[in-house]
Amino acid sequence: MSYDPNTQTRAMSLGTATSQGNALSASSQRVLRNTYALLGLTLAFSAGVAGVSMSMGLPHPGMILTLIGFFGLSFLISKTANSGLGVLAVFALTGFMGYTLGPILSSVLSLPNGSAIVTNALGTTAVAFLGLSAIALTTKRDFSFMGKFLFIGVLVAFALGLGAIFFEMPALSLAVSGMFVLLMSGMILYETSRIVNGGETNYILATTSLFVSIYNMFVSLLAIFGLGGNNE
C-alpha cells in the first residue's frame, strides 16, 4: 500500500477547518464574556432593588408609568450603547424593573404558598435560561430566522395582555403568561445565537435583551404558578 502525503495533508486541513468552525471567534468570545458579566451584575442589582422595594412596601407604579419607564430607558440604552453611559443606562433600566418587581413579589408572597411559588418560578427560570443558553452555545446553530416570528408574537401577546387587564379575564391572562414563557424562551435562544454567530457585537444591547427576557419569563411564571396555587 503506497503512502500519499496529499491524503494526510487534506485530512489535517479538514480537521483544522472543523476545529475552527466549532470554535467561537475572538470577537464573539469577548461579547459573550462581557454580556454574561454585565448580566450577572444587573440581575444582582435588580434583585437588590426589588428587596428594598419590598422592605419599604413601595406601591407598584402602574401600567402606564411602567411602560413609560421601560420604553424611555430602553430608548436611552439604544442611544448610548456605544459609550460608557450605556452601562449606566442598563443599570437604570434593570433597577427600575427591580423596583416594579418588588410589589409583585410582595403580592405573591402574601398567598398561602407564596414562598413555594417564588422558588418554583425562580428555579424554572434559571433552568430554562441555562438550558437554552447551552443549546445555543454547543450547537452554534443560527436561530436568526426566529426574529420576525418572535417580534410579532410579543406584539400579539402584549395586545392580548392589555385585553386581559381591561376586561378582567383571568383565563386569558393565564394564556398570555404561557405565551410569554414560550416567547421569552425563544428570545433567549435567539439572542444567544446572535452573539455566538457574530450577529450581535454590542454586549450592552445583548445584556438588555437577555435581562428583559429573563424578567418577563420570571414574572410570567409567577402568574402561572400563582393562579395555579389559587385554584388549589
Side-chain angles (χ1 to χ4, degrees), residues 17-157:
T18 301
S19 176
Q20 292 176 345
N22 291 333
L24 294 179
S25 66
S27 176
S28 295
Q29 289 180 6
R30 182 174 62 254
V31 175
L32 189 66
R33 181 172 60 251
N34 291 339
T35 297
Y36 281 165
L38 183 58
L39 181 63
L41 292 174
T42 53
L43 286 172
F45 178 67
S46 183
V49 174
V52 172
S53 178
M54 293 173 62
S55 64
M56 297 179 63
L58 298 178
H60 195 277
M63 182 180 65
I64 294 178
L65 289 179
T66 298
L67 292 177
I68 292 175
F70 173 76
F71 286 110
L73 291 171
S74 296
F75 178 78
L76 178 62
I77 290 173
S78 67
K79 290 299 182 181
T80 60
N82 295 314
S83 67
L85 291 176
V87 176
L88 296 178
V90 172
F91 276 99
L93 174 64
T94 56
F96 175 75
M97 296 179 74
Y99 157 59
T100 64
L101 182 61
I104 297 175
L105 289 174
S106 295
S107 178
V108 173
L109 290 172
S110 66
L111 298 174
N113 298 320
S115 297
I117 292 171
V118 174
T119 301
N120 290 337
L122 185 61
T124 304
T125 302
V127 170
F129 174 74
L130 293 175
L132 292 166
S133 298
I135 291 174
L137 290 171
T138 55
T139 65
K140 299 179 178 62
R141 181 179 176 184
D142 186 2
F143 290 97
S144 60
F145 65 90
M146 299 172 59
K148 292 183 179 179
F149 168 77
L150 292 171
F151 178 74
I152 295 174
V154 169
L155 290 180
V156 172

Side-chain angles (χ1 to χ4, degrees), residues 162-195:
L162 291 178
I165 294 174
F166 287 130
F167 296 105
E168 298 182 355
M169 302 172 64
L172 179 57
S173 179
L174 182 62
V176 170
S177 295
M179 289 179 62
F180 264 106
V181 170
L182 295 176
L183 289 168
M184 293 307 105
S185 296
M187 285 297 297
I188 292 172
L189 197 61
Y190 167 77
E191 188 60 40
T192 307
S193 169
R194 291 186 69 223
I195 298 173

